């Protein structure tokens, strides 16, 4: 295995992330948590857009639905965070399933417009259903507590986000390299051929939408806890562009690319925070440059020039061969 | 009993009857050629059989089971394979990954098993890779397994596409102009391949083809369509000498001139 393989690089980064709370200050802890949240968003969106090829624009809305559900259940029904948070993920997943219904009839631009309309409608509900959502001003969520664990809230939230980002990224990698990931890519590359092989479009499109909804919902719940505040403008079109930029810059159809894209854009987001208004310009320009000059995103450069960054849509052969040999039923766990 | 029964199928696009009461029965292990001039309804017939178009009247049965009204993926799962006029390999995958997709309907790993990479998922995956490699070897494409599908030549893509359909062990495969655009040498190889598929795998083949020489050589029986109607059916020799077929292909005048000479 080459030294700079994906696994080694990511393990080093993970080790860095594990010690960061003892090295950095509250600000780096905040940015780290934000990064993990965006990793979740980018990975989920890439499954839907990059793998399954569904040009959907509802990710920011599902992010918002996760945040609002988690926040409102705490404020309105006084549920504890750890009960409200899973509910937020479940609601976002269900909403993802509902959005998948038009996706069976529509594709390309029409799907993009429909999902965009849905996202705007969600904004409208956040803004105007004041009896529930508190309207344009948003609302404060309670500070979450990790008691009885002996950690302070920011540190606890940092590790919770890291844990979920790592687990759900591994999950996405495994799904992508399975018959499900291949069914997604088959639908992206040719719906008619996919169907002729017995791949059910309804089932797999719905699954891709639901998965991206789940990832966005989890991210939303964490986001509400990180900011202690939920307001409509956090989940607007700019947020959507941000998610899209991450997967385009990192690489469509690549979980690794999602990680790269999330890293780069969170860095830019923070670096440009002092210069209000430049963020939009920078992201727009970045998106253009990549769409025009580097379609495969940054990960395509790595895949071409470095070994150990491949992302096959199947189990790595070494393991496959081990398993195929009779009498090797007890393969060491991975 | 016939494997595939097309029972008086009619299909209209607007006012035009693309298929007009087409009826035929295809036997198990048969190679059936379907020919006809451009626009005679050959591809439409394939599309009606595999569920892309829904007939306005009539019924299609596979092994006694009614296919009409089912979705294409449901029909595929009942053992009907299909290839297309233009290459439909998945371009974002390698050749091997394309082949594994042909086994989709034979595998069962669900979301959680896949995402957690449970032992059952890994074992099934290993088995499918093994089978995909064997199937590539069967068509002589084993050396290309790890190439991107888009890097193959036109003829190679054709062969892989057929292999991808066969690997799911369908009862019957519909091939839409598999030899179009192939060189003459390639057509001969193709001929041999299709026979091997039938003889060694026992698959029934339905072949829509413009390369008349290929159809005449390998088909057991040939169905001739013209303007959405079946105008002849029989052994290649019978069809070749059928006056209606000659007329459909060459026009009335030529036929008259032929008769005169």
């Amino acid at each position: 295995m080459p030294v700079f393989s994906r696994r080694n690089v990511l393990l080093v980064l993970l080790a860095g992330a594990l010690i960061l709370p003892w090295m950095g200050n509250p600000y780096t802890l905040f940015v780290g948590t934000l990064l993990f949240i965006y990793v979740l968003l980018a990975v989920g969106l890439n499954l839907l857009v990059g793998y399954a090829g569904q040009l959907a624009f509802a990710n920011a809305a599902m992010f918002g639905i996760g945040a609002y559900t988690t926040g409102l259940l705490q404020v309105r029904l006084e549920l504890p965070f750890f009960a409200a948070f899973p509910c937020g993920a479940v609601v976002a997943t269900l909403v993802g399933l509902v959005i998948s219904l038009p996706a069976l009839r529509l594709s390309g631009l029409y799907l993009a417009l429909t999902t965009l309309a849905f996202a705007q409608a969600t904004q409208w509900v956040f803004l105007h259903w004041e009896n529930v959502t508190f309207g344009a001003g948003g609302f404060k969520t309670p500070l979450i507590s990790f008691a009885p664990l002996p950690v302070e809230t920011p540190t606890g939230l940092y590790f919770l986000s890291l844990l979920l980002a790592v687990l759900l990224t591994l999950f996405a990698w495994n799904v992508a390299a399975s018959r499900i990931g291949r069914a997604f890519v088959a639908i992206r590359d040719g719906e008619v051929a996919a169907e002729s092989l017995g791949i059910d479009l309804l089932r797999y499109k719905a699954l891709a939408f639901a998965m991206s909804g789940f990832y966005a919902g989890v991210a939303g719940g964490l986001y509400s806890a990180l900011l202690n505040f939920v307001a409509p403008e956090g989940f607007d079109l700019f947020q959507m562009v941000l998610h899209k930029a991450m997967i385009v810059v990192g690489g469509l159809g690549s979980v690794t690319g999602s990680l790269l894209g999330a890293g780069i854009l969170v860095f830019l987001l923070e670096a440009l925070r002092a210069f209000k208004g430049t963020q939009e310009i920078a992201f727009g320009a970045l998106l253009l440059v990549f769409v025009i000059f580097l379609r495969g995103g940054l990960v395509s450069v790595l895949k071409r020039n470095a070994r150990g960054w491949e992302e096959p849509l199947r189990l790595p052969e070494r393991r496959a061969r081990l398993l195929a040999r009779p009498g090797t039923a007890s393969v060491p766990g991975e | 009993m016939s494997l595939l029964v097309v029972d008086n199928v009619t299909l209209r696009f607007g006012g035009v009857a693309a298929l007009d009461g087409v009826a035929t029965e295809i036997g198990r292990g048969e190679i059936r050629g379907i020919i006809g001039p451009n626009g005679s309804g050959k591809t439409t017939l394939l599309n009606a059989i595999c569920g892309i178009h829904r007939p306005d009247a009539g019924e299609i049965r596979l092994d006694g089971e009614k296919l009409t009204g089912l979705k294409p993926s449901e029909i595929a799962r009942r053992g009907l394979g299909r290839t297309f006029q233009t290459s439909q390999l998945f371009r974002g995958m390698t050749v091997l990954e394309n082949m594994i997709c042909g086994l989709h309907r034979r595998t069962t790993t669900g979301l959680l098993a896949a995402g957690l990479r449970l032992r059952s998922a890994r074992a099934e995956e290993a088995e499918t890779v093994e089978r995909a490699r064997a199937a590539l070897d069967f068509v002589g494409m084993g050396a290309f397994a790890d190439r991107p599908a888009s890097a193959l030549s036109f003829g190679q893509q054709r062969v892989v596409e057929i292999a991808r359909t066969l690997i799911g062990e369908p009862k019957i495969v519909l091939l839409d102009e598999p030899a179009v655009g192939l060189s003459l040498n390639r057509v001969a190889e193709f001929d041999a391949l299709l026979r091997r598929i039938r003889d060694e795998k026992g698959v029934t083949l339905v072949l829509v083809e413009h390369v008349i020489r290929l159809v005449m050589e390998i088909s057991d029986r040939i169905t001739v369509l013209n303007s959405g109607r079946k105008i002849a059916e029989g052994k290649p020799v019978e069809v070749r000498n059928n006056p209606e077929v000659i007329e459909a292909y060459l026009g009335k005048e030529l036929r008259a001139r032929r008769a005169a000479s």
Side-chain angles (χ1 to χ4, degrees):
Chain A
M1 184 64 76
V3 182
F4 292 105
S5 69
R6 182 184 69 200
R7 179 197 294 199
N8 293 356
V9 170
L10 290 180
L11 280 178
V12 169
L13 289 177
L14 181 62
L18 285 173
I19 55 168
L20 183 78
W22 291 276
M23 312 290 288
N25 53 37
Y27 174 68
T28 50
L29 209 59
F30 174 84
V31 175
T33 311
L34 195 64
L35 172 66
F36 304 142
I37 290 171
Y38 277 112
V39 162
L40 287 168
L41 287 164
V43 169
L45 185 63
N46 216 337
L47 287 173
L48 178 64
V49 178
Y51 283 90
Q54 303 299 303
L55 193 55
F57 279 86
N59 216 52
M62 296 197 284
F63 183 39
I65 286 167
Y68 265 90
T69 309
T70 305
L72 289 174
L73 284 177
Q74 293 174 79
V75 175
R76 298 282 188 196
L77 301 181
E78 293 179 0
L79 286 183
F81 173 77
F82 287 99
F85 178 41
C87 294
V90 168
V91 170
T93 308
L94 293 177
V95 169
L97 269 178
V98 172
I99 306 175
S100 77
L101 294 176
L104 296 168
R105 296 240 154 244
L106 306 171
S107 62
L109 269 182
Y110 298 97
L111 178 62
L113 285 174
T114 312
T115 49
L116 201 57
F118 170 80
Q120 289 308 104
T122 311
Q123 269 291 308
W124 193 89
V125 171
F126 291 161
L127 278 168
H128 296 287
W129 195 17
E130 288 181 13
N131 294 338
V132 176
T133 64
F134 298 96
F139 62 96
K140 272 184 75 67
T141 62
L143 202 65
I144 66 169
S145 147
F146 286 89
L149 292 177
V151 284
E152 287 178 43
T153 302
T155 317
L157 196 58
Y158 175 89
F159 280 113
L160 178 63
S161 305
L162 175 62
L163 179 71
L164 286 170
V166 169
L167 289 181
L168 287 176
T169 300
L170 287 174
F171 191 85
W173 254 319
N174 289 344
V175 169
S178 76
R179 69 193 282 273
I180 294 169
R182 289 188 296 268
F184 287 169
V185 174
I187 289 171
R188 178 191 77 193
D189 286 356
E191 287 195 357
V192 176
E195 273 197 294
S196 81
L197 297 174
I199 294 170
D200 189 342
L201 297 186
L202 182 124
R203 186 187 180 131
Y204 287 98
K205 282 186 184 180
L207 186 59
F209 272 96
M211 282 184 80
S212 79
F214 178 75
Y215 278 64
V218 171
L222 294 170
Y223 194 60
S224 73
L226 177 66
L227 299 187
N228 281 135
F229 181 65
V230 180
E233 76 246 23
F235 313 102
D236 58 8
L237 209 56
F238 173 67
Q239 185 69 242
M240 186 64 236
V241 173
L242 192 58
H243 304 173
K244 278 266 145 99
M246 285 175 182
I247 62 174
V248 170
V249 168
L252 286 170
S254 163
V255 173
T256 317
S258 314
L259 306 183
L260 289 175
I264 288 168
L265 280 155
V266 167
F267 175 78
L268 272 181
L269 194 69
E270 291 307 313
L272 295 175
R273 198 173 279 290
F275 315 99
K276 262 288 169 205
T278 52
Q279 288 174 338
E280 278 94 338
I281 299 170
F283 294 160
L286 201 63
L287 205 52
L288 267 180
V289 167
F290 273 84
V291 167
I292 295 171
F293 297 110
L294 199 60
R295 279 289 180 84
L298 282 175
V299 78
S300 72
V301 178
L302 280 169
K303 281 179 183 170
R304 260 199 306 274
N305 299 310
R307 292 203 307 128
W309 287 79
E310 305 84 9
E311 257 179 317
L313 292 166
R314 60 191 168 84
L315 200 70
E317 196 109 3
R318 184 175 50 82
R319 285 173 208 165
R321 231 179 281 129
L322 260 176
L323 279 158
R325 216 176 297 143
T328 51
S330 59
V331 171
E334 4 221 304
Chain B
M1 192 181 72
S2 304
L3 179 63
L4 185 79
V5 178
V6 177
D7 191 359
N8 281 309
V9 165
T10 296
L11 183 76
R12 289 188 199 85
F13 293 123
V16 186
L19 294 175
D20 190 357
V22 173
T24 188
E25 297 196 6
I26 296 170
R28 217 174 284 275
E30 188 180 335
I31 295 186
R32 168 70 59 96
I34 297 179
I35 62 172
N38 283 329
S40 56
K42 305 181 295 284
T43 299
T44 312
L45 178 60
L46 294 197
N47 285 344
I49 295 172
C50 75
I52 293 176
H53 299 320
R54 189 169 293 201
D56 296 298
E59 203 176 277
I60 294 157
R61 291 187 295 275
L62 178 67
D63 243 349
E65 188 182 3
K66 186 175 157 187
L67 297 184
T68 336
L70 296 180
K71 288 193 293 185
S73 57
E74 292 168 331
I75 292 176
R77 282 200 288 271
R78 282 166 175 74
L80 186 131
R82 160 94 201 253
T83 69
F84 299 85
Q85 276 180 29
T86 52
S87 169
Q88 295 286 343
L89 288 185
F90 304 125
R91 302 184 64 82
M93 297 185 195
T94 64
V95 171
L96 187 67
E97 286 157 7
N98 262 284
M99 291 296 296
I100 306 174
C101 283
L103 284 168
H104 184 88
R105 68 190 187 87
R106 297 281 176 198
T107 50
T108 55
T109 299
L111 180 65
L112 284 180
L116 302 176
R117 216 173 252 188
L118 299 183
R119 177 157 298 149
S120 63
R122 283 180 282 148
E124 187 178 79
E125 184 84 359
E127 196 201 317
T128 53
V129 170
E130 199 100 322
R131 278 174 71 184
R133 288 206 183 273
L136 274 177
D137 288 337
F138 177 78
V139 296
M141 293 291 295
F144 295 88
D146 294 314
R147 304 263 180 98
S150 51
L152 296 187
S153 78
F154 193 76
Q156 291 169 332
Q157 294 195 19
R158 271 288 138 88
V159 171
V160 172
E161 208 181 330
I162 291 174
R164 183 180 72 181
T165 307
L166 284 174
I167 195 175
E169 294 174 357
K171 297 173 188 159
I172 183 167
V173 178
L174 316 180
L175 303 161
D176 197 354
E177 302 201 14
V180 74
L182 296 186
S183 68
L184 284 178
N185 291 340
R186 273 280 183 184
V187 170
E189 278 174 35
F190 220 80
D191 185 343
L193 177 63
L194 293 184
R195 280 176 207 271
R196 267 181 65 212
I197 290 168
R198 195 257 315 256
D199 296 342
E200 292 177 31
K201 306 269 178 193
V203 183
T204 309
L205 297 176
V206 179
L207 191 67
V208 162
E209 191 50 82
H210 268 308
V211 182
I212 296 295
R213 213 193 58 178
L214 177 70
V215 190
M216 289 290 172
E217 247 168 52
I218 71 168
S219 301
D220 299 311
R221 292 170 70 78
I222 291 178
T223 302
V224 190
L225 296 180
N226 190 23
S227 309
R229 262 195 296 270
K230 182 169 96 174
I231 58 169
E233 190 168 274
K235 296 211 171 69
V237 205
E238 296 163 15
V239 165
R240 197 200 303 260
N241 297 322
N242 183 315
E244 260 200 89
V245 176
I246 297 169
E247 184 183 313
Y249 265 89
L250 303 175
K252 221 173 203 148
E253 218 173 293
L254 252 165
R255 184 189 149 211
R257 229 183 286 163
R258 257 196 173 185
S261 64

